[in-house]
Each structure stands twice: as C-alpha cells, then as structure tokens.
C-alpha cells in the first residue's frame, strides 16, 4: 500500500541500530506509478540524481547539493581540500540554470574555507546543509501566505511544471501559494500543464494536487490559449529557476508562452520563488545560462521511444520571461511588482 504522505528529501542521522547516516530521496523519475526512495551517502550518486532529475526543482537541487557536498567529507581525514574541491566541481556541473545550486554550494565553500581546523568539516558543513534546508521550508510557508493577496475571489488557477514539496524543502513556491489559498477557500480549481517533454505537470503536480485533495484538470501545454479564451483562468502562477535583478525570470520551457498568453487575455501572471532564486550578480535575463537537454527526452515518453531518434530537436529545458510580462514576483519577503527592485 502507498504511504499517504511523502517527502522529497530527508537527512537521516545514525540511529541506535547503527544504521549509517544517509540522505534519503524520492526518485521523481518513477512517479507517480512508483514511490521509490533511494538511500545514499555518496555525493556522486546525488550528483547523478540531480542530472537525471530524480531530484529536481530549483530549491531542492540546492538543498541536495549542499547535503552531497557535506557528505563528500564523511570519513575523510587527510586531503579534505582536494576531496572538497572535486565534489564542488562535480556538483556545480550537474545543471546550469537554477541559481539555488550555486548559491548553496558557495555557502558551503565559504564555510569550509574559513574553517581553521578541517577535521570537523563534515559536521559543520552538514549543519550548514540542514540550515539551508530548514530556511527553504520557512520561506515556502511565507511565500504561501504572501500569495494570498493575489486572490480577490475564489479562483481558477493555471500552473506549469512542478513547484511543490517535490521541488523544494517545504510546501512549495507556486504550489505553496495554491495549497495555502485552497486551504483558505480561495481556490476553486487548478489547471496543470502536462509540461513536455519530461511531464513534471502530468506526473508530479498531479501527484501533489491529488495528495492534497485539491480539484484539478490536466491539459496539454498547447491547450492554455483555448482555456484562457473560454474564461476558465483567473490567474497563472509558476515558479522560477533564476531571476535577474530586473525581474526577467527563467523557468521551465513553456512558461514564456504562458506569460504572453496571459498578457494577451488580460490575466494576471505571477512568479513565486524564494529570494535564493534571485541572482544578484546578473542585471538581466540575457545573462542566464539555459540548459539544453538530450534530444532523447523529446523522442521518448517515459522509457518508450515514439519516433526515430535521428531527427533534429530543439531542446531548451527553460525559457526566460521578460520582466514586463510578469504581474508580480512573490518571495518570502512579499510581493514585488514591475519595475522590480528586490532590495527592501
Ligand atoms: O527541470 P526541472 O524539473 O528541475 O524544472 C523545474 C522548474 O522549472 C520549476 O518550475 C522551478 O525549479 C521552480 S521549483 C519551486
């Protein structure tokens, strides 16, 4: 029987039965048909999980990478600097777009470099990783509460990709807003884009909506314009993987389409993300590195090959929505509107 609750990631300390301390994560590539948890203390296994999207979603990637970098030093006494640098470089190569990954890795790097005695590095970095995890959980709750101001009446909400517990350390970002608003009687119905090609909407958001008993309808990504034309969408809310200082926001491929469609139909279009998704080093979205995925992902649905594999394919995993198309960005600090100035 399937457990009624689920988690994306959990750090399990050594218990009285001498069970090794491990990171346990839910393999998201198998959802929703299989709820398979993987237990590991191997940073390379966690790096692979991030690459393969067993672990995914901007905040969760950062949290997992932090645990992985700490774990690289478990049982290491000599040469810890060499091991740390190798693990840092490996984890930084996993996925390029979500800035949370680099922010988390750099937080640990800063901590490590300032340690006078590297013998305690594992414990100290582990507590830093736990702190990053806990902070994201708190940010999600605040984003959920801040998002209530977007609802003027009981609304129909459209969302894209997956932004819930499976993508973060807490209740989620855009999903956290939907969940909090639903619990406050402000959500009538959720429309979830399937999110081609890896189907995070169909497989993961639907899984989370069902677990939370929130009424929903799935649709092919290409149905959004028709849904809006029929007057079935009151607002759109999605997450983000990296936000530039001017508010340009990278998110799952297809988000930019939704922003254009929302503006055309006069429907508010919001982005929800923790402040750790804001890249304070870049002025505009032009500087965001967009990940291109293997074309295999276009030609397969799940494990099944559905077309010849030698066709050319255009495979960006993310697109950048220009700031002027975004009605507001909700972080744990509140609602920001165009022109964006994230310093309060
Ligand atoms: O490729 P993914 O599944 O990692 O992409 C995830 C998204 O685009 C999410 O919308 C984003 O990370 C926000 S998660 C709170």
């Amino acid at each position: 029987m399937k457990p009624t609750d689920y988690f994306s990631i959990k750090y399990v300390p050594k218990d009285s039965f001498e069970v090794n301390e491990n990171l346990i994560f839910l393999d998201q590539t198998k959802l929703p048909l299989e709820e398979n948890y993987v237990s590991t203390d191997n940073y390379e296994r966690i790096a692979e999980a991030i690459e393969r999207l067993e672990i995914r979603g901007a905040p969760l990637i950062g949290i997992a990478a932090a645990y992985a970098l700490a774990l690289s030093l478990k049982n290491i006494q000599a040469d810890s600097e060499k091991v740390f640098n190798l693990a840092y470089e490996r984890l930084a190569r996993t996925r390029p777009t979500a800035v949370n990954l680099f922010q988390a890795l750099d937080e640990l790097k800063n901590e490590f470099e300032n340690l006078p005695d590297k013998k305690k590095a594992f414990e100290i970095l582990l507590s830093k990783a736990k702190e990053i995890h806990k902070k994201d959980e708190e940010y999600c709750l605040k984003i959920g509460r801040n998002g209530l101001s977007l609802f003027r009446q009981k609304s129909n909400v459209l969302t894209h990709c997956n932004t819930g517990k499976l993508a973060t350390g807490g209740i989620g970002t855009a999903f956290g807003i939907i969940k909090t608003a639903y619990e406050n009687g402000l959500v009538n119905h959720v429309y979830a884009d399937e999110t081609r090609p890896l189907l995070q909407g169909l497989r993961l958001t639907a899984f989370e909506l069902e677990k939370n008993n929130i009424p929903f309808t799935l649709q092919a990504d290409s149905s959004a314009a028709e849904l809006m034309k029929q007057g079935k969408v009151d607002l759109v809310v999605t997450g983000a993987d990296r936000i530039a200082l001017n508010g340009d926001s990278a998110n799952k491929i297809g988000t930019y389409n939704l922003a254009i469609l929302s503006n055309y139909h006069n429907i508010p279009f919001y982005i929800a993300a923790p402040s750790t998704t804001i890249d304070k080093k870049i002025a505009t979205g032009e500087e965001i590195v967009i990940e291109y995925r293997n074309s295999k992902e276009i030609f397969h649905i799940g494990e099944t090959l559905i077309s010849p594999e030698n066709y050319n394919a255009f495979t960006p995993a993310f697109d950048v929505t220009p700031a002027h198309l975004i009605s507001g960005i909700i972080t744990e600090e509140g609602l920001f509107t165009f022109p964006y100035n994230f310093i309060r």
Side-chain angles (χ1 to χ4, degrees), residues 186-301:
L186 290 166
V187 170
N188 182 49
H189 201 82
V190 176
Y191 290 93
D193 275 355
E194 64 171 349
T195 318
R196 278 278 292 153
L198 294 180
L199 306 173
Q200 289 92 332
L202 175 72
R203 297 185 304 102
L204 310 178
T205 302
F207 172 84
E208 298 209 66
L209 287 164
E210 190 175 38
K211 292 271 189 191
N212 285 277
N213 294 313
I214 302 173
F216 68 95
T217 299
L218 284 157
Q219 63 171 4
D221 301 342
S222 47
S223 304
E226 182 58 24
L227 188 78
M228 290 180 183
K229 193 172 88 180
Q230 290 185 16
K232 293 196 172 136
V233 184
D234 297 311
L235 67 114
V236 178
V237 57
T238 77
D241 288 79
R242 191 185 294 234
I243 301 173
L245 279 176
N246 72 342
D248 292 349
S249 299
N251 190 48
K252 179 54 56 196
I253 191 72
T255 304
Y256 178 30
N257 305 32
L258 280 187
I260 294 170
L261 293 175
S262 303
N263 277 261
Y264 182 82
H265 290 95
N266 256 320
I267 295 167
F269 173 88
Y270 295 104
I271 294 270
S275 55
T276 45
T277 301
I278 300 168
D279 185 347
K280 304 205 173 65
K281 294 191 191 123
I282 61 168
T284 76
E286 283 186 20
E287 294 170 72
I288 298 176
V289 179
I290 297 292
E291 174 184 15
Y292 280 74
R293 305 272 312 168
N294 192 314
S295 53
K296 230 173 87 181
E297 292 177 354
I298 301 270
F299 302 133
H300 285 76
I301 292 190

Side-chain angles (χ1 to χ4, degrees), residues 24-323:
I24 301 181
F25 65 85
L26 180 54
D27 174 359
Q28 300 192 28
T29 61
K30 302 273 192 317
L31 286 173
L33 299 178
E34 283 174 47
E35 284 176 49
N36 239 357
Y37 288 90
V38 178
S39 181
T40 183
D41 63 357
N42 181 326
Y43 83 83
E44 175 56 33
R45 177 66 187 90
I46 300 167
E48 279 170 19
I50 295 172
E51 277 168 349
R52 289 191 206 136
L53 273 63
E54 290 169 87
I55 296 172
R56 45 142 305 277
L60 192 68
I61 292 172
I63 295 163
Y67 280 122
L69 191 52
L71 282 167
S72 73
L73 294 184
K74 190 177 158 190
N75 303 327
I76 299 288
Q77 290 305 326
D79 265 353
S80 65
E81 259 161 85
K82 194 170 151 209
V83 175
F84 181 89
N85 288 333
L86 272 174
Y88 177 97
E89 296 300 332
R90 171 69 182 102
L91 289 157
R93 276 196 310 273
T94 51
R95 295 194 76 191
T97 304
V99 74
N100 310 60
L101 171 75
F102 305 98
Q103 300 218 353
L105 291 176
D106 285 343
E107 262 192 66
L108 264 70
K109 189 174 187 173
N110 194 31
E111 192 85 24
F112 181 72
E113 284 174 350
N114 287 312
L115 276 182
D117 176 9
K118 306 279 191 258
K119 284 202 194 79
K120 286 258 178 294
F122 169 58
E123 284 78 13
I124 290 168
L125 295 187
L126 184 61
S127 66
K128 191 82 204 163
K130 287 179 183 165
E131 203 182 285
I132 290 171
H133 192 169
K134 181 94 195 105
K135 203 162 77 175
D136 191 62
E137 188 180 0
E138 288 162 11
Y139 284 179
C140 286
L141 284 173
K142 288 187 181 160
I143 291 169
R145 284 198 290 269
N146 292 340
L148 291 179
S149 67
L150 311 182
F151 295 78
R152 295 219 170 76
Q153 80 263 334
K154 201 164 180 177
S155 303
N156 293 332
V157 188
L158 171 60
T159 192
H160 191 69
C161 197
N162 171 266
T163 59
K165 213 197 251 189
L166 294 173
T168 65
I171 59 167
T173 56
F175 191 92
I177 292 177
I178 292 170
K179 177 177 159 66
T180 311
Y182 179 73
E183 287 163 1
N184 282 272
L186 290 166
V187 170
N188 182 49
H189 201 82
V190 176
Y191 290 93
D193 275 355
E194 64 171 349
T195 318
R196 278 278 292 153
L198 294 180
L199 306 173
Q200 289 92 332
L202 175 72
R203 297 185 304 102
L204 310 178
T205 302
F207 172 84
E208 298 209 66
L209 287 164
E210 190 175 38
K211 292 271 189 191
N212 285 277
N213 294 313
I214 302 173
F216 68 95
T217 299
L218 284 157
Q219 63 171 4
D221 301 342
S222 47
S223 304
E226 182 58 24
L227 188 78
M228 290 180 183
K229 193 172 88 180
Q230 290 185 16
K232 293 196 172 136
V233 184
D234 297 311
L235 67 114
V236 178
V237 57
T238 77
D241 288 79
R242 191 185 294 234
I243 301 173
L245 279 176
N246 72 342
D248 292 349
S249 299
N251 190 48
K252 179 54 56 196
I253 191 72
T255 304
Y256 178 30
N257 305 32
L258 280 187
I260 294 170
L261 293 175
S262 303
N263 277 261
Y264 182 82
H265 290 95
N266 256 320
I267 295 167
F269 173 88
Y270 295 104
I271 294 270
S275 55
T276 45
T277 301
I278 300 168
D279 185 347
K280 304 205 173 65
K281 294 191 191 123
I282 61 168
T284 76
E286 283 186 20
E287 294 170 72
I288 298 176
V289 179
I290 297 292
E291 174 184 15
Y292 280 74
R293 305 272 312 168
N294 192 314
S295 53
K296 230 173 87 181
E297 292 177 354
I298 301 270
F299 302 133
H300 285 76
I301 292 190
E303 302 289 304
T304 312
L305 180 65
I306 49 162
S307 77
E309 274 183 295
N310 59 341
Y311 292 165
N312 288 328
F314 179 55
T315 62
F318 303 96
D319 55 29
V320 178
T321 299

